Amino acid sequence: PVHSKLVLLSVVLCGEARPNSATTGEVSSIYNHLCERVGIAPLTQRRISDFLTDLEDYGLISTTLKSLGRYGRTRLIRITGRENDMKRYILDDPDLSNIGDVKQSRQFKLDERI
């Protein structure tokens, strides 16, 4: 599904900026930007979390639950495969042609590569 690919692309973009340290909040933020760029309505944080669980079940990502004390819990996410191959596969989807070639900056703002 398109939303699953967008969630995976969000994880890949987080991994490009900071390897092995993507969190669910960062992935959700990037996912919302990608949905806006493609022109589809974003899903809820809960549904994004379900997609992350599915991607972990498929072996594409691995997650570790981290407690932040009184600030709650989050999942630390990392890609288990080759990021460039995943990104190329996702961007070849005709439904995602509006995205173009994207990259993730260190400030977690979505930029377009020129």
Side-chain angles (χ1 to χ4, degrees):
V2 173
H3 288 283
S4 181
K5 289 179 183 178
L6 288 175
V7 170
L8 182 58
L9 181 59
S10 300
V11 174
V12 169
L13 292 173
C14 280
E16 287 177 352
R18 294 188 315 183
N20 301 329
S21 64
T23 64
T24 51
E26 294 165 349
V27 169
S28 178
S29 176
I30 294 170
Y31 165 80
N32 287 329
H33 287 292
L34 291 174
C35 284
E36 182 179 309
R37 195 162 181 176
V38 173
I40 59 176
L43 300 175
T44 63
Q45 176 74 31
R46 174 65 187 155
R47 191 68 181 116
I48 293 169
S49 182
D50 291 342
F51 277 123
L52 289 171
T53 300
D54 291 342
L55 292 171
E56 186 174 21
D57 290 343
Y58 297 144
L60 297 174
I61 64 172
S62 67
T63 64
T64 305
L65 191 61
K66 182 176 180 180
S67 176
L68 301 175
R70 67 180 180 179
Y71 300 106
R73 294 182 304 174
T74 191
R75 280 197 266 184
L76 299 177
I77 306 161
R78 67 181 174 91
I79 298 285
T80 56
R82 297 179 62 189
E83 293 178 3
N84 289 335
D85 291 341
M86 287 184 195
K87 186 176 179 181
R88 187 177 28 227
Y89 169 75
I90 293 167
L91 294 176
D92 283 343
D93 187 334
D95 292 334
L96 302 177
S97 62
N98 295 349
I99 292 178
D101 191 15
V102 294
K103 67 177 183 175
Q104 181 63 33
S105 69
R106 298 237 181 241
Q107 288 97 14
F108 290 98
K109 289 173 64 180
L110 198 56
D111 295 328
E112 187 169 344
R113 201 174 282 164
I114 298 174

